[in-house]
Amino acid sequence: MTDFNTLSVVELNDLKANLQEKYEEYKSKRLSLNMARGKPCPEQLDLSMGMLDTIKSDSSLISQEGIDCRNYGGIDGLVEAKELLAPLLEVSTDEIIIGGNSSLNMMHDTIFRAMFKGVPGGDQPWGHYPKIKFLCPSPGYDRHFSLCEFFGIEMIIVDMLKDGPNMDQVEQLVSEDETIKGIWCVPKYSNPEGVTYSDEVVDRLAKMETKAKDFRIFWDNAYAVHHLTDKPDQLKNILHACKEAGHPNRPFLFGSTSKISFPGSGVAVMGSSKENIQHTKKQLSAQTIGPDKINQLRHVLFFKDFEGLKDHMKKQADIIKPKFDKVLELFDSELEGKHIATWSKPNGGYFISLNTLDGTAKDIVALAAEAGVTLTGAGATFPYRKDPRDRNIRIAPTFPSLEELELAIQVLCVCIQLVSVEKLLKIKEVC
Amino acid sequence: MTDFNTLSVVELNDLKANLQEKYEEYKSKRLSLNMARGKPCPEQLDLSMGMLDTIKSDSSLISQEGIDCRNYGGIDGLVEAKELLAPLLEVSTDEIIIGGNSSLNMMHDTIFRAMFKGVPGGDQPWGHYPKIKFLCPSPGYDRHFSLCEFFGIEMIIVDMLKDGPNMDQVEQLVSEDETIKGIWCVPKYSNPEGVTYSDEVVDRLAKMETKAKDFRIFWDNAYAVHHLTDKPDQLKNILHACKEAGHPNRPFLFGSTSKISFPGSGVAVMGSSKENIQHTKKQLSAQTIGPDKINQLRHVLFFKDFEGLKDHMKKQADIIKPKFDKVLELFDSELEGKHIATWSKPNGGYFISLNTLDGTAKDIVALAAEAGVTLTGAGATFPYRKDPRDRNIRIAPTFPSLEELELAIQVLCVCIQLVSVEKLLKIKEVC
């Protein structure tokens, strides 16, 4: 296909008129398509409906250890829930805490406790510093960045490379600033680029010397078993690596069944060293009566074991893989060779990351919205919602139907081309 | 019965020998009876088992508003859950937030947000003061006091009278100290004394002038519908009273279905003025993906409406009322007229509060524990676990069976008498 950069002003203007016509046609259809959030589609959720039959009025609700799951107690979860979900984080059952339905909530609470009480190895609570900072490999997950904003934690952008964060930058930064207390990582099928960290990156994160004695890696392994191929990416175990490097307390691992069972009624988990876990459990007992044990039991009875859970994820992949394929197919046919966009081809996770020409993402998202196609806000994948190059757009293909998705991506491709042509015309004007 | 205070040293020594014999007899039975926590018994939980049949694999999980309850979203709860539970707090559906399974967790988070971000009307977050203070009507709920300790909030004891906290003390204290930011209240069938605040107390709490512009009442209405009689206590609506007094933002109301459906899998709620609720909702969106909507739906389908919920509570009362009666009957037959203890006769709630002779509660609880009867730790009902008169013991009659309870209270009555006799002998020695 023709490289847009080689077109003359006349050709670009012709193209623009043609694209505008197409755009108006779509707009006249009064579409309402939403690709903003990484939400499972109803068919994915249907796969877990059997879970709702696992516990009935005549079921025994006594746990393996003899606990009445209906009553109070069990601040860190049932043993059987730990056995089911410890393999998700690749930790042992004494290195895990079972939470409520939201891993985001567990991350929030972990930061809150660190701000308020400190973590093992620290001299004082993080909140006692005039300002603390987190490294934010970007593009990244908007809700991680919102948490930092909520807590007034300064965010420092680190570039994402093909195999994880730019470790030269990371090592340099953490070695010289005691107030850098953490780094956000979505280490497998990262949000939004689908990058899985290489062994080397994991090792360097584990080994690096940090000026802060209480530095923590927030390892949000949200897509641990969310593969789109039969040859899934392999991720090195961060807790093992940190133990070997002599920094056992460095990582906090998070995960959940939100995108495995039900997003609103899943089970969240956190993993860490025994010392961190003990420290956390003690604080938890002041905070809450403990998470919903009946729901933990439902998950145990439905998935049976981790193998069962992994099998379930294959069925999920069967539903969403065609959607990812459709997006990639349309990008190929509509955008390939035009030199106006590049995009990720992930082996798992929930997103396709699209980079357009510098300075065009906001305009593209706004134009698509005008035609009824809602995308994640441009900039959302960067701290403070400011994409320094204004080029990254996150595509969430899972929720819409294949038909809706096809239409939405067609609209998007027209918007990308139209805004790109306008951008190129402006550049030509200046020259 | 004989007033112990009138007995001679010889009579006391005889009595002591007799009681010691009884005590050793109980001790030899190697009992293991627990009355430490206010936990519903299995029969109470059985009443809610039908809830587990309300949602099955073929159920529709689409809410009244068209929300797929399985998926993400709904930070403040389903409309139908608000309609069910708003009457519990006597607020309107735009004055309520539905939470997870723990009202303690909602209280914790409310304090955390106030510490970290402040509340409407305040000049700065509470955490920016060198020290803030809460008034703690005592005896009170140990977990409230633990939360204050966790947050480093200084606790000031206020006496509990027959109709609520000593309002002369309260008004005096809040009028002169800007750093007193809150008061803990269990306004109905209070923990542990079973006191329901009088209309006058509610009005004075609503009207009083506070030095702090951002003073808050933490109104933990945990036993709103937990009656033990057909003529339940009436509690004046604190939110109405505060609105009328021109302090609409003053109260935060809390409640839950923990002691209505399942303690581990209930639904918690908070209520407040629209301004407080809006303020809270905005902050919540950074913290969590929102509470379990499927579980909310279960509660709605099971109870149907607030009338259904109240009917359900009558069945609970039928189970636990005989236990309260048994304790009171034994106290009457074993202790009445001996002038060594007084106790509450609550119309609802979960506890009977027992006051023994000054300086004896710790010894009594320890002695009972030695004979296999576990009670709530003496002092637990006061801030910092220090009962200034060492006399208050909290009895939680609901969990043990009637037979276990009878035995436990018999042991306790022997312990009370034995420690009292020893105490009286010591006093006589001194004289």
Side-chain angles (χ1 to χ4, degrees):
Chain A
M1 243 176 285
T2 322
D3 180 348
F4 277 21
N5 299 279
T6 64
L7 297 179
S8 68
V9 171
V10 174
E11 286 168 322
L12 284 170
N13 273 318
D14 281 353
L15 188 53
K16 184 178 163 186
N18 181 279
L19 287 163
Q20 260 168 338
E21 201 177 313
K22 277 192 195 169
Y23 177 78
E24 292 303 329
E25 209 181 298
Y26 282 127
K27 203 174 158 185
S28 70
K29 293 187 182 187
R30 302 191 164 276
L31 305 171
S32 173
L33 304 168
N34 196 320
M35 291 192 301
R37 303 300 315 176
K39 282 170 76 169
C41 63
E43 294 76 18
Q44 286 176 272
L45 305 180
D46 288 345
L47 294 173
S48 298
M49 288 303 282
M51 183 180 288
L52 302 171
D53 291 334
T54 55
I55 294 181
K56 295 179 201 153
S57 58
D58 59 355
S59 302
S60 161
L61 287 159
I62 305 301
S63 80
Q64 208 168 287
E65 292 181 299
I67 295 165
D68 188 337
C69 294
R70 305 172 300 179
N71 222 323
Y72 289 113
I75 201 82
D76 59 342
L78 299 175
V79 168
E80 47 268 61
K82 291 181 185 177
E83 284 168 356
L84 173 68
L85 295 171
L88 185 71
L89 298 179
E90 295 179 356
V91 298
S92 68
T93 51
D94 53 1
E95 293 168 336
I96 193 169
I97 291 175
I98 309 287
N101 67 329
S102 166
S103 62
L104 183 73
N105 213 154
M106 291 189 101
M107 295 178 223
H108 169 276
D109 285 1
T110 303
I111 296 180
F112 146 67
R113 288 187 293 262
M115 295 294 285
F116 218 80
K117 296 280 183 177
V119 292
D123 293 327
Q124 57 178 352
W126 291 358
H128 287 195
Y129 293 85
K131 175 69 92 182
I132 67 155
K133 302 165 192 160
F134 264 44
L135 301 184
C136 298
S138 302
Y141 180 32
D142 55 347
R143 281 182 169 280
H144 290 163
F145 306 151
S146 302
L147 271 185
C148 278
E149 269 195 280
F150 184 75
F151 282 103
I153 296 171
E154 188 181 318
M155 292 180 267
I156 301 173
I157 291 182
V158 166
D159 296 328
M160 273 296 282
L161 307 179
K162 292 284 164 225
D163 66 342
N166 181 331
M167 285 306 301
D168 293 340
Q169 287 179 2
V170 171
E171 285 165 346
Q172 177 73 25
L173 285 160
V174 298
S175 71
E176 58 197 20
D177 187 346
E178 203 228 331
T179 68
I180 296 177
K181 295 297 186 190
I183 182 170
W184 284 115
C185 298
V186 182
K188 199 165 184 179
Y189 309 133
S190 71
N191 177 348
E193 290 177 304
V195 164
T196 297
Y197 291 14
S198 68
D199 291 2
E200 192 203 330
V201 164
V202 174
D203 280 330
R204 287 173 73 177
L205 282 167
K207 282 180 190 157
M208 67 189 183
E209 291 306 319
T210 60
K211 190 88 181 279
K213 289 179 294 177
D214 51 355
F215 181 86
R216 288 295 184 274
I217 298 170
F218 284 75
W219 195 254
D220 183 2
N221 204 355
Y223 310 107
V225 290
H226 302 59
H227 315 301
L228 289 169
T229 80
D230 294 336
K231 286 178 195 153
D233 292 0
Q234 298 299 322
L235 174 68
K236 187 163 177 168
N237 185 314
I238 186 74
L239 186 56
H240 285 188
C242 285
K243 283 178 188 169
E244 267 173 30
H247 305 125
N249 289 338
R250 182 171 289 179
F252 283 126
L253 289 67
F254 300 93
S256 81
T257 69
S258 288
K259 292 188 181 80
I260 298 173
S261 59
F262 299 124
S265 308
V267 174
V269 286
M270 72 178 279
S272 199
S273 66
K274 287 188 190 74
E275 187 181 356
N276 277 340
I277 291 293
Q278 284 307 323
H279 188 256
T280 303
K281 268 162 65 170
K282 208 181 289 176
Q283 297 175 326
L284 270 180
S285 63
Q287 286 184 263
T288 174
I289 57 151
D292 183 340
K293 296 184 290 300
I294 298 182
N295 204 37
Q296 292 172 40
L297 211 52
R298 270 187 206 103
H299 281 74
V300 170
L301 293 170
F302 183 64
F303 292 120
K304 296 196 171 64
D305 54 27
F306 189 59
E307 284 306 309
L309 187 149
K310 283 194 291 184
D311 285 344
H312 183 83
M313 292 311 290
K314 285 184 194 149
K315 296 178 207 161
Q316 302 251 18
D318 289 342
I319 294 171
I320 60 175
K321 175 98 179 7
K323 298 186 182 183
F324 281 80
D325 290 346
K326 176 59 72 185
V327 175
L328 296 173
E329 181 196 312
L330 285 170
F331 282 170
D332 271 347
S333 66
E334 300 295 319
L335 303 175
E336 185 66 45
K338 294 183 179 169
H339 289 211
I340 53 173
T342 58
W343 51 92
S344 61
K345 288 167 187 167
N347 289 328
Y350 258 62
F351 303 103
I352 290 169
S353 177
L354 179 75
N355 280 327
T356 55
L357 295 179
D358 283 19
T360 61
K362 265 195 188 139
D363 290 344
I364 291 166
V365 170
L367 199 65
E370 234 180 281
V373 174
T374 309
L375 295 155
T376 310
T381 53
F382 283 80
Y384 310 107
R385 290 167 301 284
K386 277 181 201 148
D387 175 356
R389 295 176 64 178
D390 183 25
R391 62 167 187 169
N392 188 249
I393 297 173
R394 188 180 80 167
I395 313 287
T398 54
F399 189 75
S401 70
L402 205 54
E403 294 67 40
E404 286 173 335
L405 184 68
E406 184 162 2
L407 194 54
I409 297 295
Q410 279 164 343
V411 174
L412 174 62
C413 286
V414 169
C415 295
I416 292 168
Q417 294 178 79
L418 191 49
V419 172
S420 298
V421 165
E422 282 167 351
K423 177 86 181 174
L424 292 172
L425 277 170
K426 245 181 229 161
I427 292 170
K428 299 241 176 205
E429 264 172 41
V430 176
C431 307
Chain B
M1 244 178 287
T2 322
D3 181 348
F4 277 21
N5 299 280
T6 63
L7 298 178
S8 70
V9 171
V10 175
E11 286 169 321
L12 283 170
N13 273 318
D14 282 353
L15 188 54
K16 184 179 163 184
N18 182 278
L19 286 163
Q20 259 168 340
E21 202 176 313
K22 278 194 195 167
Y23 177 77
E24 291 303 329
E25 209 180 297
Y26 283 127
K27 202 175 160 184
S28 70
K29 294 190 183 187
R30 302 189 162 278
L31 305 170
S32 174
L33 303 168
N34 196 320
M35 290 192 302
R37 303 299 318 176
K39 282 168 76 168
C41 65
E43 293 75 20
Q44 286 176 272
L45 305 181
D46 289 345
L47 294 175
S48 299
M49 289 303 281
M51 184 181 289
L52 301 172
D53 292 334
T54 53
I55 294 182
K56 296 181 203 150
S57 58
D58 59 355
S59 302
S60 162
L61 287 157
I62 305 299
S63 81
Q64 208 167 289
E65 292 181 298
I67 294 165
D68 188 337
C69 294
R70 305 171 300 178
N71 222 324
Y72 288 113
I75 203 79
D76 59 341
L78 299 175
V79 168
E80 46 267 60
K82 291 181 185 177
E83 284 168 356
L84 173 69
L85 295 172
L88 186 71
L89 299 180
E90 295 178 358
V91 298
S92 67
T93 50
D94 53 1
E95 294 168 335
I96 192 170
I97 291 174
I98 309 287
N101 67 329
S102 166
S103 62
L104 183 72
N105 213 154
M106 290 189 101
M107 294 177 222
H108 168 278
D109 285 0
T110 303
I111 295 181
F112 146 68
R113 286 187 293 262
M115 295 295 282
F116 219 81
K117 297 280 182 177
V119 292
D123 292 328
Q124 55 179 356
W126 291 357
H128 287 196
Y129 292 85
K131 176 68 92 183
I132 66 156
K133 302 167 192 160
F134 264 44
L135 301 185
C136 297
S138 300
Y141 179 33
D142 55 346
R143 282 184 170 276
H144 289 163
F145 305 152
S146 302
L147 270 185
C148 278
E149 268 193 282
F150 184 77
F151 282 103
I153 296 170
E154 188 181 317
M155 291 178 270
I156 302 173
I157 292 182
V158 167
D159 295 330
M160 273 296 285
L161 306 180
K162 291 286 164 222
D163 66 342
N166 182 329
M167 284 307 300
D168 293 341
Q169 285 179 7
V170 171
E171 285 164 347
Q172 176 75 25
L173 284 160
V174 299
S175 72
E176 57 197 20
D177 187 344
E178 202 228 331
T179 69
I180 297 178
K181 296 297 186 189
I183 183 171
W184 284 115
C185 297
V186 182
K188 198 164 184 180
Y189 308 134
S190 71
N191 177 349
E193 290 177 305
V195 164
T196 297
Y197 291 14
S198 67
D199 291 1
E200 190 202 332
V201 164
V202 174
D203 280 331
R204 287 175 73 176
L205 281 167
K207 282 180 189 156
M208 66 190 183
E209 291 306 319
T210 60
K211 189 90 182 279
K213 289 179 294 178
D214 51 354
F215 181 85
R216 288 293 183 275
I217 298 170
F218 284 74
W219 194 256
D220 184 2
N221 203 355
Y223 310 108
V225 290
H226 301 59
H227 315 300
L228 289 168
T229 80
D230 294 334
K231 286 180 194 151
D233 291 0
Q234 296 299 323
L235 174 66
K236 185 161 179 168
N237 185 314
I238 185 75
L239 186 56
H240 285 188
C242 285
K243 282 178 189 171
E244 266 173 30
H247 304 128
N249 289 337
R250 181 171 288 179
F252 283 126
L253 289 70
F254 301 94
S256 81
T257 69
S258 288
K259 291 186 181 82
I260 297 172
S261 58
F262 299 124
S265 308
V267 175
V269 285
M270 72 178 280
S272 199
S273 66
K274 288 188 190 72
E275 186 181 358
N276 277 339
I277 291 293
Q278 283 306 324
H279 187 254
T280 303
K281 269 162 65 170
K282 209 183 287 179
Q283 297 175 327
L284 270 180
S285 63
Q287 286 185 262
T288 176
I289 57 153
D292 184 340
K293 296 182 292 298
I294 298 182
N295 205 38
Q296 291 172 40
L297 210 54
R298 270 187 205 100
H299 282 73
V300 170
L301 292 170
F302 183 63
F303 292 120
K304 293 192 174 67
D305 54 28
F306 190 59
E307 284 307 309
L309 187 148
K310 283 194 291 184
D311 284 345
H312 184 83
M313 292 312 289
K314 286 183 192 149
K315 299 178 204 159
Q316 302 252 16
D318 289 342
I319 295 172
I320 62 176
K321 175 95 176 17
K323 299 186 182 183
F324 280 80
D325 289 346
K326 175 59 71 185
V327 176
L328 296 174
E329 178 197 314
L330 286 169
F331 281 170
D332 271 347
S333 66
E334 299 295 320
L335 303 176
E336 187 63 47
K338 295 183 179 169
H339 289 210
I340 54 173
T342 58
W343 50 92
S344 62
K345 289 168 186 166
N347 289 329
Y350 259 62
F351 303 103
I352 289 168
S353 178
L354 180 74
N355 281 327
T356 55
L357 295 178
D358 283 17
T360 61
K362 264 196 188 139
D363 290 345
I364 291 167
V365 170
L367 198 66
E370 232 181 281
V373 175
T374 308
L375 295 153
T376 308
T381 52
F382 284 80
Y384 310 107
R385 291 166 299 284
K386 277 182 203 149
D387 175 357
R389 295 175 66 177
D390 184 25
R391 65 167 185 167
N392 189 249
I393 298 175
R394 188 181 77 167
I395 313 287
T398 54
F399 189 75
S401 70
L402 205 54
E403 295 67 38
E404 287 174 334
L405 184 68
E406 181 160 10
L407 194 53
I409 296 295
Q410 280 165 343
V411 175
L412 174 61
C413 286
V414 170
C415 294
I416 292 168
Q417 293 177 81
L418 190 49
V419 173
S420 299
V421 165
E422 282 167 352
K423 178 85 182 177
L424 292 171
L425 278 168
K426 244 181 231 161
I427 292 168
K428 301 238 175 208
E429 263 172 42
V430 175
C431 310

